[in-house]
Amino acid sequence: MGTSCCHSSPALPHSFFALNLKNCLSLSSPKASTRGVHQIRALNVKVMQEDMVMNIPHVLSVAGSDSGAGAGIQADLKACASRGVYCSTVITAVTAQNTAGVQGVHTVPEEFVAKQLKSVLSDMDVDVVKTGMLPSINIVKVLCQSLKQFPVRALVVDPVMVSTSGDVLAGPSILDIFREQLLPMADIVTPNLKEASALLGGLQLKTVDDMCSAVKSIHDIGPRNVLLKGGDLPASLDAVDVFFDGENIFELCFPRIKTQNTHGTGCTLASCIAAELAKGSPMLSAVKVAKRYVQTALDYSKDIVIGNGIQGPFDHLFKLKSIALNSFRQWAFDPSVLFLYAVTDSGMNKRWGRSITDAVEAAIQGGATIVQLREKDIETGEFLEAAKACLKICHLHGVPVLINDRVDVALACDADGVHVGQSDMPARMARTLLGPEKIIGVSCKTPEQARQAWIDGADYIGCGGVYPTNTKANNRTIGLEGLKTVCLASKLPVVAIGGIGVSNARSVMELDLPNVKGVAVVSALFNRECVLAETRKLRTVLREKPAGRK
């Protein structure tokens, strides 16, 4: 395979622009002089734009469409997206397909496949081409010609001939052109046992030793690397794949996952390899990452049920199960959950002989509407286990749980979001890591900080300390007037925090600011003997109508 080179214009020295500007200004006509200045400015902008080009890893999938979205083009798109790689597509066939099998195949005419290939390869900087279902000899020929005209960094060939459910997707007539033209161009080929047997003239593969011999024979056909997938190997407790780079054989073993949700594993593995190669990984590293990714996805998705057939799809993005288990979550953040915002404190709980989970359960029963786990004095492992337990308790009551500061813990336990301070991870970075659906709050004391929280994609701000408090060292108080100033500048809903309790919560709510949605409390709940009773008292106070309202 050739390597495509993208040559950007070299940065030009300042003297170049100065010299040309001088030449332009020396033109006799004022109009010509003005035109010359504009030309230089345009050239300057173009050079700067070229210098700022960001190379996005790009995989082109040339494969069939699966209407059930478990395999084919759909699996390739999801696999590349999960690996952070852009994926374009060329459709070679449209299948009527579901979890029961393939009910029909409609081959796309080779002329139109050629148009798709030219459209993508002539315009976009494709790093790696990954092939799946190639249903006709002429489509294979068109692909090989296109790759000679538009060379890419690597070609990953998944020789799709028979689906995992046993449906034939490519006839024996294609085998010859695979051997003669396509495989000699491939950087890696990823057959399963049935496909490897077909490529080798019907050779039966029943053991790992058979696989080790087969990868060498397939390598002799021409591909630079061979990955033989042994998922269907009989009487094997592990899922064993054999990789051969022309010199060394590697047996890649992972525990076999007991699940029927295996539709699309081959497509996904090849796409993941392509994605890692597009990012610049060496071949063996790309194969290992892809193998681990598929293994993890299978384990995560082993119990999900989609369709009534014998072979279901799996979840490439690791989202479906958590969404189903946490169906109470709302897609849009509801500011009303800020009404009674309970913030835990490990030191206070220890003082009263309570665990974090006991404190959280009492606060929930007392009427807390959202919980923030603010645990500064415990180890990360202990915090993570406590967070998981608190999530179960809170989610049973439909109450969201946020983690204070620790985005890593929030990700590990799949919390509903985080709350960050001005000296913690910026909200925009937390949003990038957590995604669009999680809740992000930011502590703010000034209008400028409140405006920045809006720009950075926060959902709400915590404003304070309103009153003096002992829960945070050197915490400057802003008073009710400071709270009012920040609220008037904020486009986000606000929860007031800092020294608030039963005795002064009414003063906060009587400011009658429309974006003040509630109060956040620490000591008033958790530095008391009975968290349940104190939470109920505060909830009653907050529900009272402010003076002057009917």
Side-chain angles (χ1 to χ4, degrees):
M1 288 297 297
T3 302
S4 61
C5 298
C6 181
H7 299 289
S8 60
S9 300
L12 300 177
H14 291 296
S15 57
F16 170 85
F17 297 106
L19 178 62
N20 281 276
L21 181 59
K22 181 179 179 181
N23 291 339
C24 289
L25 292 175
S26 67
L27 297 174
S28 58
S29 166
K31 288 185 178 180
S33 177
T34 303
R35 185 170 62 250
V37 171
H38 288 309
Q39 289 172 344
I40 291 299
R41 286 176 178 168
L43 177 60
N44 197 358
V45 169
K46 181 180 179 182
V47 171
M48 287 190 294
Q49 288 175 338
E50 289 176 347
D51 285 343
M52 294 171 63
V53 168
M54 181 182 295
N55 293 320
I56 304 298
H58 186 152
V59 169
L60 168 60
S61 171
V62 183
S65 170
D66 173 6
S67 56
I73 285 288
Q74 289 83 348
D76 297 342
L77 286 166
K78 288 183 280 188
C80 287
S82 71
R83 302 307 306 161
V85 171
Y86 186 81
C87 183
S88 53
T89 61
V90 168
I91 310 293
T92 60
V94 180
T95 69
Q97 190 173 170
N98 56 24
T99 59
V102 179
Q103 291 79 47
V105 177
H106 176 72
T107 300
V108 175
E110 61 263 23
E111 296 86 357
F112 198 74
V113 172
K115 283 187 178 181
Q116 294 179 75
L117 284 163
K118 186 174 181 180
S119 292
V120 176
L121 292 171
S122 66
D123 173 59
M124 299 177 172
D125 294 325
V126 174
D127 296 299
V128 179
V129 169
K130 176 264 174 184
T131 71
M133 181 181 177
L134 302 174
S136 74
I137 293 174
N138 286 337
I139 286 178
V140 178
K141 289 181 178 179
V142 163
L143 173 63
C144 293
Q145 290 167 0
S146 297
L147 290 174
K148 290 174 184 176
Q149 184 180 0
F150 302 101
V152 294
R153 188 191 305 167
L155 172 63
V156 177
V157 174
D158 183 20
V160 177
M161 300 173 194
V162 181
S163 71
T164 313
S165 58
D167 296 287
V168 177
L169 299 174
S173 60
I174 295 180
L175 288 172
D176 288 340
I177 195 167
F178 264 44
R179 297 189 192 99
E180 294 167 8
Q181 292 191 32
L182 187 62
L183 295 190
M185 297 177 71
D187 290 272
I188 184 170
V189 60
T190 62
N192 59 29
L193 293 176
K194 293 177 182 177
E195 291 157 351
S197 176
L199 288 170
L200 297 175
L203 180 69
Q204 295 299 303
L205 306 175
K206 297 182 179 181
T207 67
V208 174
D209 287 341
D210 292 342
M211 294 174 65
C212 291
S213 297
V215 291
K216 292 180 179 179
S217 298
I218 295 172
H219 185 269
D220 290 339
I221 297 174
R224 293 172 60 194
N225 299 273
V226 180
L227 177 66
L228 178 50
K229 299 172 293 190
D232 296 327
L233 196 68
S236 174
L237 296 177
D238 293 329
V240 182
D241 294 348
V242 175
F243 175 76
F244 182 54
D245 62 6
E247 294 183 5
N248 301 299
I249 288 180
F250 301 86
E251 294 179 15
L252 307 175
C253 303
F254 282 83
R256 190 179 294 276
I257 304 297
K258 293 182 179 180
T259 178
Q260 290 185 321
N261 298 326
T262 58
H263 184 48
T265 49
C267 305
T268 299
L269 183 70
S271 294
C272 189
I273 292 171
E276 296 306 311
L277 293 176
K279 289 190 279 188
S281 296
M283 184 63 74
L284 181 57
S285 297
V287 169
K288 288 181 176 179
V289 168
K291 177 79 172 172
R292 284 196 298 266
Y293 168 75
V294 171
Q295 183 79 4
T296 304
L298 283 172
D299 187 50
Y300 176 86
S301 311
K302 61 186 176 185
D303 300 320
I304 65 174
V305 178
I306 298 174
N308 300 306
I310 60 172
Q311 191 187 38
F314 60 95
D315 181 8
H316 293 75
L317 302 179
F318 306 94
K319 289 286 186 182
L320 298 176
K321 186 168 68 174
S322 67
I323 290 170
L325 292 174
N326 300 289
S327 58
F328 81 91
R329 295 184 186 179
Q330 301 184 23
W331 290 109
F333 168 64
D334 182 0
S336 68
V337 299
L338 301 174
F339 181 67
L340 205 174
Y341 189 130
V343 183
T344 67
D345 185 284
S346 54
M348 294 177 188
N349 287 326
K350 287 179 181 177
R351 190 176 306 145
W352 293 97
R354 289 187 296 257
S355 67
I356 301 170
T357 51
D358 288 341
V360 166
E361 187 161 19
I364 294 296
Q365 291 176 357
T369 54
I370 188 169
V371 171
Q372 180 191 136
L373 301 180
R374 181 177 175 271
E375 302 296 324
K376 302 288 188 179
D377 302 323
I378 60 177
E379 296 296 328
T380 297
E382 183 183 351
F383 187 14
L384 178 58
E385 291 307 310
K388 290 178 180 178
C390 290
L391 278 162
K392 290 182 180 179
I393 295 168
C394 292
H395 287 179
L396 286 174
H397 297 84
V399 173
V401 178
L402 310 184
I403 307 296
N404 180 263
D405 298 351
R406 299 289 301 272
V407 175
D408 58 334
V409 174
L411 284 167
C413 69
D414 195 24
D416 300 293
V418 296
H419 185 92
V420 294
Q422 291 297 317
S423 60
D424 301 319
M425 178 182 289
R428 65 183 180 278
M429 188 177 296
R431 174 64 71 203
T432 300
L433 293 171
L434 293 174
E437 73 276 9
K438 299 294 186 179
I439 303 169
I440 295 179
V442 181
S443 297
C444 298
K445 291 181 182 291
T446 68
E448 293 75 20
Q449 291 172 350
R451 285 190 282 267
Q452 189 62 46
W454 164 266
I455 293 169
D456 288 347
D459 293 296
Y460 73 92
I461 64 170
C463 187
V466 178
Y467 301 109
T469 174
N470 294 322
T471 60
K472 201 168 186 179
N474 303 315
N475 186 31
R476 179 175 64 87
T477 58
I478 60 174
L480 292 175
E481 283 303 312
L483 173 64
K484 186 174 182 179
T485 300
V486 173
C487 287
L488 292 174
S490 177
K491 295 181 180 181
L492 295 170
V494 178
V495 59
I497 188 168
I500 299 172
V502 172
S503 63
N504 56 21
R506 281 282 301 276
S507 300
V508 173
M509 302 309 290
E510 285 177 350
L511 289 174
D512 197 21
L513 295 165
N515 57 346
V516 174
K517 302 301 180 182
V519 298
V521 288
V522 187
S523 300
L525 299 186
F526 298 109
N527 202 18
R528 300 289 190 273
E529 183 176 2
C530 184
V531 175
L532 173 62
E534 296 301 325
T535 309
R536 284 177 175 168
K537 287 180 189 176
L538 183 55
R539 186 178 178 89
T540 300
V541 169
L542 292 173
R543 281 181 164 176
E544 291 176 358
K545 292 182 179 178
R549 281 196 195 174
K550 295 183 179 180

